[in-house]
C-alpha cells in the first residue's frame, strides 16, 4: 500500500465544491480523503501503487478541466460528459464543429478539447447536441449528415428540421425515398462540407 498527497489551489468555494463532487463521483473509493481550507484543496489517496497512481492522475485531470479563466481552456471530455450527462450519445467531433460554427476557437485531440469557450458553455452545447441527436434517432439520416445537421441547429439555435431545410437549400444534403421512407445523406464528403461552413464569416 502507498499513500499520495496532492495540493491544489482554488479561487473560491464553488470551485472547490465542484472539484470535490466531480472527483469523488468518479473515483468512488474509500481510500480517498479531500480537505478544503482557505484557497487550498488537499487530496490524499491510499492503495496499491497502480490504484494510487490512477486516483492521482484523475485528480489532476478533473482539476485541469474545471479551472477556467485562461484565453484557451483545455477540457477533458470525459469530465465534461460526466457534468453534462447527455441523454443521447454524440460524437466528440460534433462538439468541436459546433464551437467553431459559433465563432469559438476549438481543437480536439483525442479526449482533450482546447477552446476559447468556457466550461459552462461547452456543457450547454453538449446537452443541446444530445437533444438534437435524440430528435434524429428514428430518422433515416447518415451519421455524417447528422453531425452537420446537429452542429448547425445548435450553433444557430434552430430546430433540427429548420437546419435540414437550410442545408438542403445550400445544396449540402441529398434527400431520397425508399419504399415510401425518406432518407438524408450528404451530397459531398464530410471534410468539404465542414470546410465550407467554417470558412463562412460566422453563422447568421
Amino acid at each position: 500500500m502507498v499513500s499520495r498527497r496532492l495540493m491544489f489551489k482554488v479561487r473560491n468555494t464553488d470551485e472547490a465544491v465542484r472539484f470535490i463532487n466531480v472527483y469523488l463521483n468518479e473515483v468512488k473509493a474509500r481510500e480517498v480523503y479531500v480537505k478544503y481550507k482557505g484557497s487550498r484543496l488537499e487530496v490524499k489517496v491510499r492503495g496499491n501503487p497502480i490504484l494510487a497512481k490512477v486516483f492521482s492522475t484523475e485528480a489532476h485531470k478533473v482539476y485541469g478541466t474545471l479551472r477556467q479563466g485562461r484565453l484557451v481552456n483545455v477540457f477533458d471530455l470525459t469530465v465534461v460528459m460526466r457534468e453534462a450527462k447527455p441523454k443521447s450519445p454524440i460524437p466528440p467531433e460534433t462538439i468541436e464543429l459546433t464551437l467553431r460554427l459559433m465563432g469559438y476557437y476549438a481543437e480536439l485531440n483525442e479526449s482533450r478539447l482546447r477552446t476559447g469557450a468556457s466550461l459552462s458553455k461547452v456543457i450547454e452545447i453538449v446537452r443541446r447536441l444530445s437533444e438534437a441527436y435524440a430528435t434524429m434517432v428514428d430518422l433515416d439520416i447518415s451519421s455524417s449528415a447528422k453531425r452537420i445537421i446537429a452542429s448547425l441547429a445548435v450553433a444557430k439555435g434552430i430546430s433540427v428540421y429548420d437546419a435540414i431545410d437550410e442545408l438542403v437549400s445550400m445544396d449540402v444534403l441529398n434527400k431520397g425515398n425508399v419504399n415510401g421512407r425518406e432518407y438524408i445523406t450528404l451530397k459531398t464528403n464530410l471534410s468539404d462540407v465542414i470546410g465550407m461552413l467554417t470558412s463562412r464569416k460566422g453563422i447568421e
Side-chain angles (χ1 to χ4, degrees), residues 1-3 13 44 48 52 54 59 82-84 87 97 100 111-113 125 134 144 175 180 187 192 194 203:
M1 299 288 283
V2 298
S3 296
T13 303
K44 291 182 180 179
N48 64 60
V54 169
R82 285 199 300 271
E83 284 283 282
K87 297 179 180 179
L97 177 57
R100 291 175 64 191
S111 67
R112 296 177 68 80
L113 175 68
I125 287 170
S144 55
K175 280 188 174 184
K187 276 193 172 182
D192 286 347
I194 292 174
I203 298 295

Side-chain angles (χ1 to χ4, degrees), residues 127-137 149-151 153-154 160:
R127 289 171 176 164
R128 290 168 59 194
L129 284 171
S130 177
E131 293 172 358
Y133 267 82
T135 300
M136 295 185 285
V137 70
I149 294 166
S151 294
V154 172
V160 161

Side-chain angles (χ1 to χ4, degrees), residues 8 23 26-27 29 41-44 57 76-77 83 86 98 102 104 107-108 121 135 160 163 178 203:
F8 299 106
Y23 179 59
E26 173 62 14
V27 298
L41 266 175
E42 178 183 357
V43 179
K44 291 182 180 179
T57 299
D76 190 293
L77 286 185
E83 284 283 282
T98 304
M102 295 176 74
Y104 291 103
E107 180 182 353
L108 184 65
K121 174 57 70 174
T135 300
V160 161
V178 175
I203 298 295

